[in-house]
Amino acid sequence: MDYRRFFEDAIDQLHAEKRYRVFANLERIVGKFPRALWRTADSTREITVWCSNDYLGMGQHPAVIAAMHDASSRMGSGAGGTRNISGNNHPLVELESELADLHNKEAGLVFTSGFVSNEASISTIGRLLPNCLILSDELNHASMIEGVRRSGAEKKIFRHNDVAHLEELLKAAGKERAKLIVFESVYSMDGDIAPIAAIADLAEKYNAMTYIDEVHAVGMYGNRGGGITDQEGLADRIDIIEGTLAKAFGTLGGYITGSKTVIDAVRSYAPGFIFTTALPPVIAAAATASIRHLKVSQEERRLHQRQSQLAKDVLALANLPVMESQTHIVPVHVGDPELCKMASDRLLEVHGIYIQPINYPTVPRGTERLRITPTPFHSDELVVELKEALVEVWTALGIPFAKDNLPVIETNTRVVTLAVSKAGG
Ligand SMILES: *Cc1c(COP(=O)(O)O)cnc(C)c1O
């Protein structure tokens, strides 16, 4: 066995498929969001980031940084162990009650990441329920797929956001069998929203449990930032609401909220919760400060929606192939992995704009894209600058504009026809 050769071949395969990933060396600058330093071997340049999941810039919010400073000066850096052994800490307990309140649930449980929260919770619930059938949306995030896989439970995949298909599967399973429906509220690559009320209706009708991933909605939607379930008044109709502290809340960690009993069961049985060091008090305190701020402040959400809509409109008017999206996420279709990487490189090198290419397996082949995430800090001027840079890159690389592209785009990656009509085509 030539070990080295084996790994080289694995990497070469990614190069051959033009989807080898390269990460830019960036350093964010407090007070200048969304600006960052980009370091290469021979230079350091200030650039604009257009693909951050720090959706509201809370990672640099003064209240969040102050909470972090305060906690570190009082409690130091680490947690000191797993929560089982010696790592339970007051800021974490406080954070969990803040989260339970955010989603109107009895209890919350914090994990070291959103990935771990999904993997640990779904696998544990699926394993505890006897002969459980898990019904999973086909576009669910990798962390949910991992949870489903590790549960050992039987699974059925329903077509994306297709309630008729979900009902077929629920009906076939029967009312008596234990069933868990797992889905997301906002799907982060297309920016579409699940039919949550209809799924809750079906869950009631067929006596199934529901588990929703609100990672791309918490902080950003709802009057208190409780996500789409908050916005639509549906939190009470979903059994488990999962979220992250790492995106709109700007820190790190993941969580679930639900009834006391389910939360206690996951706390007591999930290896991914039990056998790993707790989130440090500094992070917990910062997350709590962020959640508390966004529970009362509407300004970030208002500006976020405004700048996202502006970006969609401005890019579409320039005939760029903006894909349909119901949310703050602005995907722009490229349709080829190599072109997608080249577009990203050119944006950075020529225009000082950072947008990571999104290629297979994150999205289906043929739907490669640039995924743009405007924040409240992307000014109108920056939006116009982005539009001009994209038009230059699309022209230089010969990437199809919206009009050329329309007939061949299908499924959930439809190019918005609005872009064409608005552009007068
Ligand atoms: C990012 C993401 C996660 C994982 O959250 P982290 O806190 O980054 O680990 C889970 N679900 C979805 C849909 C995500 O996009």
Side-chain angles (χ1 to χ4, degrees):
M1 182 76 191
D2 180 348
Y3 289 104
R4 182 182 164 138
R5 174 70 182 281
F6 180 84
F7 292 113
E8 279 169 359
D9 285 351
I11 290 167
D12 285 348
Q13 166 138 17
L14 295 177
H15 281 296
E17 291 178 22
K18 307 294 176 200
R19 55 185 187 93
Y20 177 76
R21 293 172 197 238
V22 183
F23 305 139
N25 180 353
L26 301 176
E27 182 179 317
R28 304 203 293 163
I29 311 164
V30 169
K32 289 178 90 171
F33 194 95
R35 302 286 279 170
L37 296 176
W38 171 43
R39 295 178 200 278
T40 60
D42 41 41
S43 75
T44 299
R45 265 175 76 185
E46 206 178 296
I47 53 108
T48 304
V49 177
W50 271 101
C51 57
S52 178
N53 277 345
D54 186 353
Y55 289 121
L56 302 175
M58 291 303 288
Q60 332 194 333
H61 193 283
V64 176
I65 297 174
M68 225 168 182
H69 279 151
D70 173 63
S72 70
S73 64
R74 292 192 296 123
M75 292 169 255
S77 66
T82 68
R83 287 175 74 173
N84 231 18
I85 306 284
S86 56
N88 206 25
N89 58 78
H90 178 64
L92 204 40
V93 175
E94 216 173 23
L95 172 60
E96 285 173 344
S97 73
E98 197 65 44
L99 289 164
D101 174 73
L102 176 67
H103 296 294
N104 268 313
K105 297 289 182 196
E106 288 173 4
L109 190 68
V110 168
F111 300 78
T112 44
S113 76
F115 189 102
V116 172
S117 69
N118 273 334
E119 189 274 325
S121 305
I122 296 171
S123 65
T124 300
I125 294 165
R127 199 156 21 83
L128 286 176
L129 289 170
N131 187 32
C132 180
L133 174 70
I134 301 185
L135 301 124
S136 176
D137 187 285
E138 69 174 330
L139 291 190
N140 275 343
H141 188 257
S143 56
M144 303 168 82
I145 296 171
E146 200 59 25
V148 173
R149 208 176 57 80
R150 291 214 191 165
S151 72
E154 189 190 347
K155 67 154 193 269
K156 297 257 193 245
I157 311 294
F158 59 94
R159 286 188 295 274
H160 179 54
N161 282 348
D162 186 337
V163 282
H165 189 208
L166 174 61
E167 175 153 29
E168 234 173 78
L169 299 172
L170 284 166
K171 199 183 256 172
K175 235 180 148 165
E176 292 312 310
R177 185 170 181 187
K179 297 170 293 300
L180 177 69
I181 306 171
V182 295
F183 64 113
E184 301 180 23
S185 60
V186 172
Y187 287 84
S188 71
M189 292 301 146
D190 294 315
D192 56 339
I193 298 176
I196 303 172
I199 291 175
D201 288 343
L202 286 180
E204 205 166 290
K205 185 169 170 191
Y206 294 97
N207 191 27
M209 273 185 78
T210 45
Y211 180 108
I212 194 168
D213 174 317
E214 285 249 48
V215 162
H216 291 278
V218 288
M220 293 170 278
Y221 294 89
N223 198 39
R224 300 198 310 155
I228 304 289
T229 49
D230 178 8
Q231 179 167 285
E232 298 184 356
L234 295 170
D236 293 349
R237 303 199 57 206
I238 301 294
D239 293 302
I240 294 140
I241 299 178
E242 184 270 351
T244 185
L245 306 168
K247 289 169 184 170
F249 292 128
T251 59
L252 183 74
Y255 65 87
I256 55 168
T257 60
S259 72
K260 268 195 180 123
T261 324
V262 174
I263 298 300
D264 199 22
V266 174
R267 185 187 71 88
S268 308
Y269 282 97
F273 173 80
I274 299 170
F275 299 104
T276 190
T277 296
L279 208 65
V282 274
I283 302 288
T288 300
S290 183
I291 295 163
R292 282 184 183 157
H293 177 84
L294 291 173
K295 266 183 184 168
V296 291
S297 173
Q298 305 300 333
E299 195 56 8
E300 289 82 4
R301 283 188 281 277
R302 190 185 66 76
L303 274 172
H304 184 221
Q305 290 301 313
R306 183 189 182 277
Q307 296 318 94
S308 302
Q309 190 56 51
L310 181 74
K312 286 182 193 173
D313 291 346
V314 167
L315 302 191
L317 277 167
N319 203 24
L320 286 156
V322 178
M323 294 159 67
E324 195 177 286
S325 158
Q326 297 167 263
T327 57
H328 57 280
I329 292 155
V330 185
V332 180
H333 185 267
V334 179
D336 175 271
E338 191 169 19
L339 276 178
C340 201
K341 172 81 173 73
M342 286 166 70
S344 171
D345 289 347
R346 189 174 177 94
L347 279 168
L348 188 55
E349 282 153 20
V350 178
H351 302 278
I353 285 175
Y354 180 62
I355 308 174
Q356 182 74 0
I358 307 283
N359 286 345
Y360 176 83
T362 309
V363 295
R365 292 185 208 269
T367 72
E368 292 82 1
R369 67 196 67 175
L370 297 181
R371 176 183 178 273
I372 297 166
T373 53
T375 72
F377 295 93
H378 289 87
S379 65
D380 296 3
E381 293 71 30
L382 284 179
V383 172
V384 172
E385 184 188 294
L386 171 70
K387 181 261 295 177
E388 276 159 18
L390 286 170
V391 168
E392 189 282 327
V393 167
W394 251 241
T395 309
L397 300 179
I399 302 172
F401 280 82
K403 260 188 274 192
D404 317 332
N405 225 350
L406 267 180
V408 293
I409 310 300
E410 36 172 294
T411 65
N412 52 34
T413 59
R414 293 176 303 264
V415 168
V416 65
T417 41
L418 199 65
V420 178
S421 53
K422 276 191 185 166

